Amino acid sequence: MNIDASSDEAYERSEAYEDGNALGGPLSEIFAVDLTAAVGRCAGCGATGPMARLRVYDRAPGLVARCPDCARVVLRLVRGPDTAWLDLQGASSIRIPLGPAD
């Protein structure tokens, strides 16, 4: 998956985004836990917060989630008919709450 720099610049100029809760449905197809409650760390500025805080843009052939502090791309998700591509290059870590063990 390759989104060129001109696409990144267009996202940065756009004010039309949703919060990270928009990732809940698409990511639930891949993960068994709700990742909107996970705490991520931006690889760009080091900011931490729930994934639901990310700014999600859906004008591309997938979803692009940006850090609300520095606008760096944290996550890209593209879904095809039988395949999903997930790029987390912009996240230095994601802490996923799993709940109590039985």
Side-chain angles (χ1 to χ4, degrees):
M1 170 176 42
N2 185 7
I3 298 177
D4 64 22
S6 63
S7 295
D8 284 349
E9 291 168 9
Y11 283 120
E12 289 176 12
R13 289 190 306 266
S14 173
E15 292 296 322
Y17 66 86
E18 299 179 52
D19 69 24
N21 286 305
L23 297 168
L27 288 176
S28 71
E29 295 181 65
I30 301 168
F31 296 98
V33 297
D34 177 12
L35 284 186
T36 61
V39 175
R41 177 180 304 275
C42 175
C45 69
T48 60
M51 298 294 278
R53 189 172 172 255
L54 296 174
R55 293 181 177 179
V56 179
Y57 300 86
D58 62 358
R59 303 266 191 300
L63 300 174
V64 175
R66 292 183 173 274
C67 174
D69 295 320
C70 72
R72 182 172 178 163
V73 174
V74 175
L75 177 150
R76 292 179 182 102
L77 175 63
V78 176
R79 177 82 161 77
D82 58 357
T83 305
W85 293 268
L86 179 61
D87 174 4
L88 294 167
Q89 182 175 340
S92 62
S93 66
I94 298 176
R95 183 171 37 94
I96 303 167
L98 298 177
D102 291 337

